[in-house]
Amino acid sequence: MHALKLNLGNWQFMPGLWPTLAAIGLILLTVHLGNWQTERAHDKRLLQVRLESADRAPALAVGPRAMDKEHVLYRRVMVLGLFDPTHQILLDNRIYKGVAGYYVLTPLKIEGGNRYVLVNRGWLPVGTSRTALPQIRPITTQVKIEGLALDPETRYFELPGARPVGRLWQNLDFEQYVARSGLSLQPFLLQQHNDTGDGLVRDWPRPDTGIAMHESYALQWYG
């Protein structure tokens, strides 16, 4: 059975029913995927506006009271407190200028209560050997940390089945970290920007909203 018959000179076009239905289904699917990527690009534009607005806004003070994640995300924040090195972890395979290293994540006990905020303090190189983790210069006095509130669930590539080994983690699984540490944490990761004399590198790239990537994918699906 043919769904359609067209004669164009010596050329005859007679697609079958099932190929026609399959083609229609494929077209609808690719249009749907193109629309989805277009919507994602729109959402990322809104995020870009939010980031630019946060850059101009004064820093938000973080206290011991639980904060709303959506209210604080991607805003500049500042907090006073004491670092807790007993629950410090290192995120492995973080590359800076072609050199392998770690991100140092340390919870900070917020002044005035028993709540903490997890701080990404910066990067340091692996060193001469992976058999021993590097020593991080301790900070035992109260500090003021300034930086950017980020989503703690942002993940990087990791091998299947990769699990934390002691203090060494491949990625931050925030729920798992809360369960293991037993700490009451604010619902965001604080990316530290100010210098606290610990020798860590804090040359952070600006958060990439990925607008161009979504627009490119949308064009491919529409094409």
Side-chain angles (χ1 to χ4, degrees):
M1 180 185 295
H2 295 287
L4 180 68
K5 182 176 181 180
L6 293 175
N7 291 306
L8 300 174
N10 295 326
W11 183 75
Q12 190 176 69
F13 179 59
M14 292 191 304
L17 176 61
W18 292 113
T20 300
L21 293 176
I24 292 172
L26 181 60
I27 291 170
L28 292 176
L29 175 62
T30 55
V31 169
H32 169 73
L33 291 172
N35 290 341
W36 176 65
Q37 290 292 345
T38 300
E39 291 172 1
R40 293 282 292 160
H42 174 70
D43 292 341
K44 293 300 180 68
R45 288 191 190 92
L46 295 179
L47 175 57
Q48 185 67 47
V49 171
R50 185 174 176 180
L51 286 170
E52 292 171 355
S53 176
D55 274 346
R56 297 188 295 269
L60 182 67
V62 176
R65 181 177 296 181
M67 303 184 74
D68 177 62
K69 179 179 175 180
E70 295 306 316
H71 174 68
V72 71
L73 210 57
Y74 304 113
R75 291 190 62 176
R76 292 194 301 117
V77 297
M78 64 83 61
V79 59
L80 294 173
L82 292 169
F83 279 122
D84 174 12
T86 60
H87 294 103
Q88 180 171 278
I89 63 172
L90 302 179
L91 297 189
D92 200 3
N93 298 314
R94 299 310 190 254
I95 307 299
Y96 176 70
K97 293 186 176 180
V99 178
Y102 309 101
Y103 281 162
V104 180
L105 272 58
T106 313
L108 182 87
K109 186 177 182 182
I110 303 170
E111 182 186 42
N114 292 315
R115 196 176 301 275
Y116 293 73
V117 59
L118 189 59
V119 181
N120 186 347
R121 297 168 58 190
W123 177 91
L124 81 169
V126 169
T128 57
S129 173
R130 280 188 172 271
T131 57
L133 296 179
Q135 296 296 313
I136 294 100
R137 192 179 305 164
I139 298 177
T140 57
T141 57
Q142 187 182 74
V143 290
K144 179 174 76 171
I145 302 299
E146 300 173 352
L148 190 66
L150 297 178
D151 191 340
E153 296 299 340
T154 301
R155 299 174 67 81
Y156 297 84
F157 170 80
E158 68 180 15
L159 296 174
R163 296 188 178 187
V165 179
R167 293 179 181 269
L168 191 62
W169 294 46
Q170 294 297 316
N171 274 303
L172 173 62
D173 184 322
F174 195 64
E175 290 185 1
Q176 185 177 13
Y177 179 83
V178 171
R180 286 193 174 204
S181 67
L183 301 177
S184 177
L185 287 164
Q186 294 286 11
F188 61 89
L189 178 68
L190 201 171
Q191 184 189 78
Q192 181 180 341
H193 288 187
N194 63 313
D195 183 22
T196 47
D198 49 24
L200 300 176
V201 177
R202 285 178 278 271
D203 184 14
W204 304 111
R206 181 176 176 81
D208 181 14
T209 56
I211 297 172
M213 177 187 70
H214 291 295
E215 289 178 335
S216 175
Y217 286 158
L219 184 61
Q220 291 178 37
W221 286 121
Y222 289 140

